[in-house]
Structures are given as structure tokens and as C-alpha cells.
Amino acid sequence: MLLSFLINNLVLLTGKDKMATLAEQPCYTLINIPSDAEPPTEIQLRTDLEKGDTKTKTDALKKTIQLILNGEKMPSLLMTIIRFVMPMQDHMVKKLLLIFWEVVPKYTPDGKMLHEFILVCDAYRKDLQHPNEFIQGSTLRFLCKLKEPELLEPLMPAIRQCLKHRHSYVRRNAVLAIYTIYRNFDFLIPDAPELIAEYLEGEQDMSCKRNAFMMLIHADQERALNYLSSCIDQVTSFGDILQLVIVELIYKVCHANPSERARFIRCIYNLLNSSSPAVRYEAAGTLVTLSSAPTAIKAAASCYIELVVKESDNNVKLIVLDRLVALKEVPAHEKVLQDLVMDILRVLSSPDQEVRKKTLNLALDLVTSRTVEEMVLVLKKEVVKTNNVEHEDTGKYRQLLVRTLHQLSIKFPDIATTIIPVLVEFLGDNNEAAAADVLVFIREAIHRFESLRVLIISKLLDVFSTIKAVKIQRAALWILGEYCVNAEDIQSVMTLVRQSLGDIPIVDDELKKAAGDVKEDDTMSGGNIQRLVTADGTYATQSAFSTVSSSKKEENPPLRQYLLDGDFFVGAALATSLTKLALKYVSLTTDTKKQNAFLAESMFIMATVLHLGKSGIPTKPITDDDVDRIATCLRVLAEQSPLMTDIYNTASRNSLSLMLAAKMAEEKEAQKAAEKKVVKIQADDPIAFAQLVDKNEFGATENMFELTLSQALGMTQKKEKDPLGSSKLNKVTQLTGFSDPVYAEAYVNVNQFDIVLDVLVVNQTSDTLQNLTLELATLGDLKLVEKPQPLTMAPHDFCNIKANVKVASTENGIIFGNIVYDVTGAASDRNVVVLNDIHIDIMDYIVPASCTDSEFRQMWAEFEWENKVAVNTNVSGLKDFLQHVIKCTNMKCLTPDKALQGDCGFMAANLYAKSIFGEDVLANLSIEKPGHLPEDSPVQGHIRIRAKSQGMALSMGDKINLSQKANKNVLPEQ
């Protein structure tokens, strides 16, 4: 590894000329080659090229190009192609010839141009004067790729003449050819800027004007500015491709010379109304960087919002929303965006869940007391829209809306009265998650806002009978038991409970039903009962909640059905709520008869639940915990001691207060951590001069076009934590041994979606190695983008070869391969050096993420792939091991610090992370340290990993296993 570090520095110092030569090599057009095809012989190709018909010659030419791209020289075929193929007028042959001239070697070994290319040059000239515009245009495009000034010089008059061609395709490519020739060999056409500026004045075609204007921007910016100034009022009528180039020019000019802003900013404003979405997007981004005036920010933000609303592509919507979020992060811009919050809510018309989520979060951050009422109206309409629509994402969208309304009511308590009636309706929703969110909101609202308690209780009583989920009914019973404070409400709750339980005693009623011996007089029901005559002439009863028919099984009331299904936890919750209500009723009513009647009814309901649990009728028997809880409630009602009355009536509410207070404190801490520190400039602070500021500290003033280009190419320089570069050396993988004839090692540079392998190859022999090729293959979701070109290496020479690999998903990938080469003068077959495997670390694609407990549980239940990893380490501290796992896996611990405090000998923690490809990975850490073992003994336990894909679960498990082993080796030495 140190060898790589020293040699790379040597390249910088002494090998500049050689590296420059490598960089100047032309980039060839890549053509797919079938792997199972048998390569043809040179003799066979020559025969086909000389004597074959058009189709045969075309196929032979294709095969020749493929062989040359594979590293074969084939010098004897050059003259054959010039004599027998070049005179042909077939368009396909002409196109293939252009590719052939591009890839064929043009120089002799001593560096001189091959004499045959004098004939080829004449053919180029004829094609530039060909009557067919496609051949002319294709030839001009090909000339852009030529790096030989000797071949270009005789063609310059013909290229100039093409600027006056009648067809725009030829003129467009002529401009490109002149631009590339001027950029590479300006001595061939020194008057190019003047020529193109003159041409631009008379050109009408937009694509031609765009190419000419682009050339002037890079070749002679002053001429480009003069042209723009002369036609600045007509910019809005130009085509979008030309408008995009104009936006880029204005940005660059104003960035380099801020005094020019006043001259061109009006043009940018006008381009915000362009018919092209791309132009509007770029113009809005440019306007924000050039001006921080409120009018400019408002115009740009409005433009972004229109783009999000009108664009159909969800990726575009998310990108533009990110721009709006970035605008919001600037304190001065946030005030402007607050006035546009209602426009932002128009984006909710999009069907995509991610877009809606981002929009609601942005609107929630921007809403103020002035706009909150309008926002609530919009959200209420959206909630109503989801009522009758059954779609896969409707439930999730409803959850989002409920949570947003919840946060709004906490942020602005005054609007809670308008939100609650809408949300309470959702307690009867089929989507349990949305109903649970509503219930959490109602619980918090009824506790915090005393003035709303009467409204909430009345609404809750209205919808209680429509609740379908057992968890929701259980929680609703708790709220009613805790917050019903007058006798009328308490009686209403008792009526609802009786209706929801059906006829009691439940056991006797069920036995009678089973025997078919149900009579009206034997029932004790709170519902309306009427006598019916069945089809066979017998009598049956029908109540408000149950129907008996001869053909259909009877439907039980909700609470009764839960108990018959064996869910006695709801029975225990019912007993607790009835106890609270009975104790309150006794204190509210002075009439002893009414007190005893209510107490007796409450105890009768508890007794019938206990009896049912022990009877064997339910699918599952009652648990001992539920028996103890119901029995305790019965005893409390029987004794009515002041201590138990105080516990039931006040202590549980105090627990809720503590929980909500802790939750609020956590939210405030998270909000405080998320807030950016306000930069205060003191009078004695040093002045930052733009010329002296480091590029990394330039911030928003850095050229955005250059920045985005460098990011796309993976050239952005990250600030190294380690100035000596040892962290970079850690990513160097040795591919061959030191005694191999060719030494190789690779630096693995991971960009976001691709990997660049920078392979250092050293010829350790005294021979010249010819056709040295790095052959690579991949395993996993990796794909090699291009094949590295063959090289010739002098004795004891070295060079760097780069290879790009695309990454498709977060799975452990392996890159393997070998280096093959020929030795000058040796008669043996090609030599092969097998390379070590390169293992790609998935941690480069994993980022910590956070989610709520309910989301974590939901994903845990949904994800089908689980990987259980046993803990095998010598770390002795529970918290130390947790921190070690977090560090090795890039995951975030969702379990709060308070829950991890103390030392009780065991620990359970939930971890969560996401990949850059949007894949979720969950982990549950369950570790312990038995008390009977010594203090320095290692922790025990296991880690369960769950993911949607098998590869993700396996890869994360392998990573944890490897990190445990690595840790095991390292720690004893410390």
C-alpha cells in the first residue's frame, strides 16, 4: 500500500508528460460484442471485404471494428478497406467507415502518420461535399473526434463551406466541428470566433444558433455577451435549447462579475415564464443565486411550485421540492415562503406518497397563525376525499393527514375545535393505523385542552359504536373512563358498553343459543327488541345489534366478539374503565339506590367476563394477568377504600402527564438540535476576501454549474479528517503479490451510484509488455461500464488504469479478474496474472435514518427476510457493544437514551438505517451479561436483522459478523 502512495506521488512529480499523453487518447465509441461469437480470421475478413456483396462487406467491416476494439491491430486490412469498401456509396457502409477511421491505429510504431491516410483524407473531403446531407453531417460529427491536425488541415476550406449549407443538420454539425478544432488546434482556424459571430447574426435555426452561441461562450465570451445584449428583448421567443445556454451564460457572467447583474437579471425574470419546464427550473435556480431580494425569491419559489404541480414525473417533483426545502433553510427566505404555503399545498393533488409526505412536512414548517386556518380547511377537504376511496396508499395518506393535523393543533391550540370533529370520525376507519393516530391525537388533546373535553367526549360517545378495531376500542374505553366527569356521560358510557356486550350473562346466553333455546323473556339487553316469525313459523328475536336467521350465523356485538375470540385484555381494560366510572358516579350521586344499582351493574359485567374466560367457550382461555386485574377491580368496587379511589381517579392521569411531558421534552430537544446556529458577525471579526478563501469554504458563491458537473463526475473533494491520507490508504487493495511479474493494486473510490477503480500496474520485469489488458468481472448487483484499453509497458514502467463499475442495489459485491499480456519476442501464449478479489463494502451505501415506533413495528411485521446473528465478541460492556455495532453498521439507535440508562444486566435496542437506493434495514439488539459471570466477561445475546430483500439482510449480517471478529482481534492488544 505504501508503494502505491509513493508511486502516485512520483507520477505527480515526474510522470506528468506521460499521464497527459494517456489523458489525450481519444475516447472510442463502445460497441457490444457477443461473448459466444467465434472471432473470424484475417484472411476470411479480407476475402469478404474484397469480393463480397454490400451485406457481406457490411458484416465484415463490423467484425473488423470489433476486433480492433478488442486490441487486434490488423494492419493488412487497412489498404483492402481503402480500395474495396471506401468507394461504396451505401449509407450504412459510410457510417461504419467513420467508426472504423475513428478506432484504427493511425501512426507507425515510430510515431509517424501512416501514408494510407492521405487517401482517407481525400475521402473525408469528398464526403464533406457529398450531395446527401446525412453523410455530410455524419462526417462533420466524426471530425469532432479526430485528434490529428495533419488530417484536419486539408479539410478546413470544406468545413467552412458547410456553414452555408441549405440544411440545418449540416450547419449545426459544422459549428460543432469548428468549435472542437478551434479548441484543440486553434492555429488551424484562428478566426473561428469572428466567423461564428458573423454566422450567428444571420442564422435562423434554433439548434444551429444554440451550438454557435455555446461556442462563443467558451471561445470568446465578450462576443457572446454582445450578441445577447443585441437581442435580449427577443430571448423569450427563442427555442428552449438556446434559452438554457443563455441562462448558463448569464449565471457565469454574473458570478464572475457581480456588477453585470442589473444588466441581465430582467432577462432571467422573463425566462421564468418560458414554455419549457427545464428553462423555468434553471432560471429560478439562477435567480435565487443572483439575488436575495424578496421579489426574486417569491418569483423563483412560485416558479418551482408551478413546476411541481404541473410536472407528471415524480422524480422531478421530489427534486424541485428539495429546492423549496433548501430555500426554506435560509432564514431570510423563509418569511417569503410563508406567504406561499397555500400554493405549496396544491402539490397534494399528486398521487405519490413520498411527494405528499415531503409537501406536508414543508407546509408544516412554513405555516403561521395567519395561514393556519386556511391550511386546516384544505387538509379537512383532503381527509374527506380519502373517505370513499379504497386504494393501496389511501390509508397511508390518511395517516399523514391525521399526523399533520395533530401537529397543527399542538402548534396552534385555537384551531383544535375545528379539527377534532373531522378526526373523530376516523376512529371507525378500517385502517387501524390511521385510527390509532387519531386516538393518540385525541388523548393528547383531551389532556392538554380542558376547554375541549366536553366536545371530545360527546363526539367519542357518538362514534364509539362504529369502532371496528379491538386496540382502538380498548383505548377509547380508557379515555371515556378517565375523562367522563358528569353523571349523564357516565350513564351514556354504561349504555354503550351494554349494547356492545349484548345479552348477559354471556355464558348462559351462548349456551342457550347453542341449544337453539333463546326466548325473549330470558334476555337482558340494552337494545331494542322486536318479535319476528321465521320462515318455518317459529319465533326469533331481533335486537339493535344482533340478528338471528335460519340460514346465516348470528353476528355478535363488537366487545362480545372480541371476548369470544379470546382477547380478554380488552375485558381487563373494560373492568378498569368501569371501576373508574363507578367510583366517580358514587361521588357524584347522593341517591344510594342509584349508587348501588350502578355498582352492581359494573360488577355484574366484570363477573360475566370472568365467568366467560373460565367457561371454555372462547377460542382462547383468559390469562392469569387479566383474571388478577378484573378481580382487583371487583375488590376495589366492593371495598371502596379512599386509597384505591385516589389511585384509580388521579394516579393514572398523572402517569399520562409524565409521559406527555417527556415526549414534549424529547421533541423540543430534537427541534433544538435541528435548528441551525445563527451566525452572528462581530465588529472585530476578520474579513473574508473571495480571492483568498478556500474553495471548500466558498459556500453559495461557488459556481453552481461547475459544482454540479464535478459532482456528476465524482470529482468533488471531500474534506479529509486524516491529513496524512492514511484513511485513503485503507481503501487500497493489493491485487497481486510482490514477486509477480506484474504488480497491481487498486484504490476503490466509491461515488453515490458507481465505483471507480484506480488500478496501479507496475511492470517488474526487464521485458516490454505488449497488449497488457486488465480484464474484470463482477459478482452481485455490479455492472462493468467499459472495458479498459490495452497498453504497452516499457521495462520497470508503471501506469494507472481506471475502470468504472455501476452499483444497482445494496448487496455485497465482488470484483475479480486478471491481467493478461504478451512479452515482446516471446513465442509462448499470452501470460496471465490472476488478481485477488475486491470486496465492495455495503457501508458506503448505508445511511442512518429515523422512524417512529409504530412505523418500526409495522415494517418489522411486513419484512419477510430475517437474519439472526449470534453475538460473539469480547466486549464486556453492554453500551460499549451497542456503540460498536452502531459505528460498524452506520445504523441509528431508535431506543431513547433514557431507556438505555442504568445497569441491569441486559439491554434491548432497536436500530434503523436506509440505503441510498431507498431500501430499509431494521435490527433488534438483545444482549445480556449474566450476573454470575466475572466483570470482564463478554456480553452474550443475538442481533436480529430484517429487510425487504434477502441480499440486504444477508449483507448486513455478514458485516456485523466481520466487525465482531475484527473487534475480537483488536481489543486484546489495547
Side-chain angles (χ1 to χ4, degrees):
M1 290 184 186
L2 187 60
L3 179 63
S4 169
F5 197 64
L6 294 172
I7 289 181
N8 280 330
N9 283 317
L10 189 63
V11 167
L12 292 174
L13 296 172
T14 61
K16 288 183 180 178
D17 295 336
K18 178 169 181 174
M19 297 306 287
T21 309
L22 284 172
E24 286 170 8
Q25 286 181 352
C27 178
Y28 291 156
T29 305
L30 294 173
I31 298 174
N32 181 45
I33 302 165
S35 55
D36 56 347
E38 187 179 339
T41 62
E42 195 168 340
I43 298 168
Q44 183 185 342
L45 285 173
R46 187 185 293 111
T47 306
D48 289 345
L49 289 168
E50 285 181 7
K51 299 174 182 176
D53 57 9
T54 302
K55 188 176 183 307
T56 308
K57 288 184 177 181
T58 303
D59 291 340
L61 192 54
K62 283 182 182 177
K63 289 173 184 174
T64 306
I65 292 168
Q66 289 172 355
L67 287 170
I68 291 175
L69 284 174
N70 264 352
E72 303 292 336
K73 301 296 181 187
M74 303 227 172
S76 63
L77 290 181
L78 179 59
M79 204 60 209
T80 305
I81 289 171
I82 290 172
R83 286 175 58 202
F84 297 100
V85 182
M86 204 164 67
M88 294 176 66
Q89 295 302 312
D90 184 77
H91 288 188
M92 185 62 185
V93 172
K94 291 274 187 190
K95 186 70 177 172
L96 286 171
L97 276 173
L98 294 176
I99 299 173
F100 175 75
W101 300 133
E102 186 184 337
V103 300
V104 73
K106 302 174 184 66
Y107 292 96
T108 58
D110 58 356
K112 292 180 180 178
M113 178 74 70
L114 290 167
H115 296 300
E116 290 88 341
F117 272 87
I118 298 169
L119 300 171
V120 176
C121 189
D122 188 55
Y124 293 157
R125 189 177 53 75
K126 286 178 181 175
D127 282 346
L128 287 175
Q129 296 167 349
H130 198 280
N132 184 285
E133 59 270 6
F134 170 74
I135 291 175
Q136 280 186 285
S138 301
T139 308
L140 286 163
R141 286 181 72 84
F142 159 69
L143 294 179
C144 295
K145 300 174 186 177
L146 271 189
K147 301 289 183 183
E148 290 77 27
E150 304 97 310
L151 294 177
L152 290 167
E153 192 171 5
L155 304 174
M156 292 316 298
I159 295 172
R160 284 172 179 264
Q161 197 61 36
C162 287
L163 282 176
K164 298 174 184 175
H165 196 275
R166 59 182 174 78
H167 204 283
S168 61
Y169 178 69
V170 179
R171 299 198 303 274
R172 180 166 73 233
N173 286 304
V175 173
L176 277 180
I178 289 171
Y179 172 41
T180 50
I181 293 167
Y182 178 76
R183 189 178 59 190
N184 296 327
F185 317 106
D186 56 352
F187 58 87
L188 291 179
I189 181 164
D191 61 335
E194 187 182 341
L195 177 69
I196 295 299
E198 188 181 328
Y199 161 79
L200 188 58
E201 294 291 342
E203 182 57 66
Q204 295 302 317
D205 183 78
M206 282 303 158
S207 60
C208 298
K209 288 175 87 166
R210 181 255 182 203
N211 286 0
F213 192 68
M214 178 67 88
M215 179 194 161
L216 288 181
I217 289 174
H218 296 285
D220 192 341
Q221 201 174 85
E222 193 57 43
R223 288 183 191 273
L225 284 175
N226 291 338
Y227 172 75
L228 179 58
S229 300
S230 67
C231 60
I232 199 161
D233 295 328
Q234 292 109 40
V235 165
T236 49
S237 63
F238 289 169
D240 56 348
I241 54 173
L242 183 54
Q243 287 176 341
L244 281 170
V245 180
I246 288 171
V247 171
E248 183 181 348
L249 172 67
I250 292 174
Y251 179 85
K252 286 182 174 178
V253 170
C254 296
H255 182 266
N257 188 5
S259 61
E260 295 280 359
R261 288 181 185 181
R263 182 179 169 193
F264 294 113
I265 204 161
R266 176 52 52 195
C267 181
I268 293 292
Y269 267 109
N270 293 337
L271 287 174
L272 288 177
N273 301 316
S274 170
S275 58
S276 165
V279 174
R280 294 206 302 275
Y281 175 77
E282 290 295 344
T286 302
L287 186 59
V288 169
T289 55
L290 296 184
S291 173
S292 56
T295 49
I297 301 303
K298 188 172 183 178
S302 300
C303 182
Y304 281 144
I305 293 166
E306 285 298 319
L307 283 171
V308 182
V309 172
K310 291 180 180 176
E311 271 301 311
S312 57
D313 191 327
N314 288 328
N315 293 319
V316 174
K317 287 179 186 283
L318 290 169
I319 290 167
V320 180
L321 277 172
D322 282 336
R323 283 296 184 100
L324 285 168
V325 171
L327 274 181
K328 181 213 62 171
E329 297 297 325
V330 182
H333 299 169
E334 189 175 4
K335 292 177 183 177
V336 179
L337 286 174
Q338 285 172 353
D339 296 332
L340 298 172
V341 70
M342 298 312 297
D343 290 329
I344 290 170
L345 287 174
R346 288 164 55 205
V347 182
L348 291 177
S349 59
S350 168
D352 185 70
Q353 194 69 9
E354 198 63 34
V355 173
R356 286 168 164 174
K357 187 176 181 180
K358 193 165 273 194
T359 304
L360 286 171
N361 289 337
L362 178 61
L364 197 60
D365 290 340
L366 293 174
V367 70
T368 61
S369 54
R370 288 184 290 111
T371 54
V372 67
E373 289 184 7
E374 289 180 83
M375 182 170 170
V376 168
L377 285 172
V378 172
L379 295 182
K380 280 164 72 174
K381 284 179 185 174
E382 289 294 317
V383 167
V384 172
K385 281 182 193 174
T386 62
N387 272 347
N388 303 318
V389 182
E390 285 307 322
H391 189 265
E392 186 182 353
D393 289 333
T394 305
K396 291 180 182 177
Y397 181 40
R398 208 174 292 163
Q399 266 182 280
L400 275 178
L401 291 169
V402 167
R403 286 178 188 172
T404 308
L405 286 166
H406 178 185
Q407 288 169 298
L408 278 175
S409 65
I410 302 304
K411 201 172 178 182
F412 305 99
D414 297 342
I415 51 103
T417 48
T418 59
I419 294 175
I420 287 166
V422 180
L423 292 187
V424 170
E425 299 293 331
F426 282 99
L427 288 176
D429 198 89
N430 289 321
N431 183 356
E432 189 179 308
D437 282 340
V438 173
L439 209 71
V440 167
F441 164 56
I442 287 173
R443 185 185 65 186
E444 194 168 345
I446 203 169
H447 180 77
R448 287 188 180 177
F449 312 128
E450 287 189 29
S451 58
L452 300 176
R453 284 180 186 173
V454 177
L455 172 68
I456 294 173
I457 291 294
S458 66
K459 290 290 179 186
L460 205 52
L461 288 169
D462 290 343
V463 300
F464 185 81
S465 57
T466 65
I467 296 174
K468 300 180 181 69
V470 61
K471 290 180 182 177
I472 308 305
Q473 197 152 48
R474 193 173 69 219
L477 279 170
W478 186 91
I479 291 174
L480 289 170
E482 189 65 46
Y483 292 100
C484 282
V485 290
N486 58 56
E488 189 182 340
D489 288 342
I490 292 171
Q491 284 286 9
S492 301
V493 174
M494 178 59 82
T495 306
L496 284 171
V497 168
R498 287 296 302 274
Q499 286 178 350
S500 194
L501 276 173
D503 302 336
I504 55 174
I506 298 173
V507 175
D508 293 354
D509 189 53
E510 288 297 319
L511 290 173
K512 286 178 183 178
K513 285 179 185 175
D517 190 24
V518 179
K519 293 180 184 177
E520 182 189 3
D521 297 337
D522 295 331
T523 60
M524 288 179 62
S525 171
N528 299 321
I529 300 166
Q530 64 186 54
R531 178 173 290 179
L532 295 175
V533 181
T534 58
D536 57 359
T538 58
Y539 288 109
T541 56
Q542 183 184 45
S543 68
F545 42 73
S546 64
T547 306
V548 179
S549 69
S550 57
S551 60
K552 191 177 177 183
K553 190 180 176 183
E554 180 182 357
E555 286 186 13
N556 289 311
L559 262 176
R560 187 192 193 104
Q561 189 59 50
Y562 301 147
L563 294 172
L564 289 173
D565 290 339
D567 190 347
F568 283 94
F569 187 33
V570 73
L574 172 64
T576 307
S577 296
L578 286 175
T579 305
K580 290 177 183 177
L581 292 170
L583 292 173
K584 286 178 193 171
Y585 190 80
V586 167
S587 63
L588 289 169
T589 312
T590 53
D591 188 341
T592 311
K593 190 176 178 182
K594 286 184 179 178
Q595 288 179 355
N596 291 338
F598 195 90
L599 285 167
E601 193 169 8
S602 302
M603 294 172 82
F604 182 37
I605 290 171
M606 294 181 210
T608 193
V609 172
L610 268 177
H611 187 200
L612 178 66
K614 299 286 188 182
S615 68
I617 294 174
T619 52
K620 288 185 283 186
I622 191 169
T623 62
D624 292 340
D625 287 342
D626 293 334
V627 170
D628 291 346
R629 196 168 174 193
I630 296 172
T632 304
C633 291
L634 281 167
R635 187 175 174 185
V636 167
L637 288 182
E639 296 177 358
Q640 294 184 39
S641 66
L643 174 64
M644 296 309 292
T645 303
D646 182 59
I647 288 171
Y648 271 81
N649 283 344
T650 59
S652 58
R653 195 177 297 188
N654 292 340
S655 299
L656 178 63
S657 300
L658 286 171
M659 189 194 81
L660 291 175
K663 187 180 171 187
M664 278 189 72
E666 280 180 23
E667 286 174 359
K668 281 181 181 175
E669 280 180 22
Q671 195 173 354
K672 197 174 180 182
E675 283 177 3
K676 287 189 174 182
K677 292 180 180 178
V678 180
V679 180
K680 294 181 179 177
I681 300 173
Q682 304 296 338
D684 57 347
D685 279 356
I687 300 169
F689 291 93
Q691 290 83 354
L692 306 176
V693 174
D694 183 53
K695 274 189 178 180
N696 293 326
E697 297 167 13
F698 229 115
T701 60
E702 193 167 354
N703 189 320
M704 296 306 293
F705 282 93
E706 298 297 332
L707 187 65
T708 49
L709 180 62
S710 59
Q711 283 174 343
L713 295 172
M715 292 163 58
T716 47
Q717 293 293 321
K718 296 176 183 174
K719 286 190 178 180
E720 295 286 348
K721 292 179 183 176
D722 182 4
L724 295 176
S726 62
S727 57
K728 193 171 180 179
L729 286 174
N730 288 337
K731 292 189 176 182
V732 174
T733 306
Q734 187 175 334
L735 301 178
T736 64
F738 290 113
S739 58
D740 283 318
V742 175
Y743 173 78
E745 62 186 29
Y747 169 61
V748 183
N749 183 23
V750 178
N751 293 324
Q752 193 168 12
F753 295 109
D754 61 341
I755 299 165
V756 179
L757 295 181
D758 191 352
V759 183
L760 171 73
V761 180
V762 183
N763 178 5
Q764 300 195 110
T765 67
S766 301
D767 299 317
T768 299
L769 307 183
Q770 292 184 326
N771 297 330
L772 184 139
T773 309
L774 175 67
E775 295 181 345
L776 296 173
T778 57
L779 197 66
D781 267 347
L782 303 174
K783 184 182 178 185
L784 196 65
V785 177
E786 58 187 349
K787 183 178 178 181
Q789 292 297 315
L791 301 170
T792 299
M793 294 186 68
H796 303 292
D797 195 5
F798 61 89
C799 69
N800 284 68
I801 302 173
K802 289 196 176 181
N804 287 305
V805 178
K806 283 287 176 193
V807 185
S809 71
T810 318
E811 289 186 24
N812 278 338
I814 299 173
I815 301 172
F816 56 95
N818 47 51
I819 291 175
V820 295
Y821 60 90
D822 296 328
V823 178
T824 305
S828 62
D829 293 334
R830 301 199 79 183
N831 299 281
V832 179
V833 178
V834 180
L835 306 177
N836 286 336
D837 296 346
I838 302 172
H839 292 263
I840 303 303
D841 190 359
I842 67 162
M843 288 306 105
D844 292 314
Y845 305 102
I846 300 289
V847 290
S850 58
C851 64
T852 62
D853 286 343
S854 58
E855 288 170 342
F856 185 91
R857 284 194 293 271
Q858 188 177 352
M859 286 191 284
W860 188 267
E862 288 174 359
F863 290 174
E864 53 191 11
W865 292 102
E866 179 173 308
N867 189 6
K868 191 172 181 180
V869 179
V871 173
N872 179 21
T873 183
N874 61 349
V875 180
S876 55
L878 297 175
K879 290 181 184 172
D880 293 340
F881 184 73
L882 173 63
Q883 292 303 320
H884 174 66
V885 170
I886 290 170
K887 185 180 176 183
C888 294
T889 59
N890 282 356
M891 299 184 87
K892 182 178 181 180
C893 181
L894 300 180
T895 309
D897 289 337
K898 289 181 182 177
L900 300 173
Q901 295 299 325
D903 189 11
C904 57
F906 69 89
M907 178 187 284
N910 290 334
L911 310 177
Y912 177 55
K914 286 189 91 161
S915 75
I916 60 172
F917 305 100
E919 300 164 298
D920 300 291
V921 59
L922 315 172
N924 174 256
L925 181 82
S926 299
I927 51 176
E928 64 173 347
K929 193 170 178 184
H932 64 277
L933 294 177
E935 185 68 27
D936 59 346
S937 60
V939 298
Q940 301 173 4
H942 58 264
I943 302 166
R944 292 165 70 197
I945 301 155
R946 284 201 182 181
K948 205 170 230 178
S949 63
Q950 183 185 20
M952 185 73 156
L954 291 174
S955 300
M956 188 58 78
D958 292 345
K959 180 65 184 175
I960 290 174
N961 268 327
L962 284 170
S963 64
Q964 285 190 134
K965 290 173 185 174
N967 195 62
K968 198 172 180 181
N969 293 335
V970 170
L971 276 181
E973 298 174 10
Q974 292 177 346

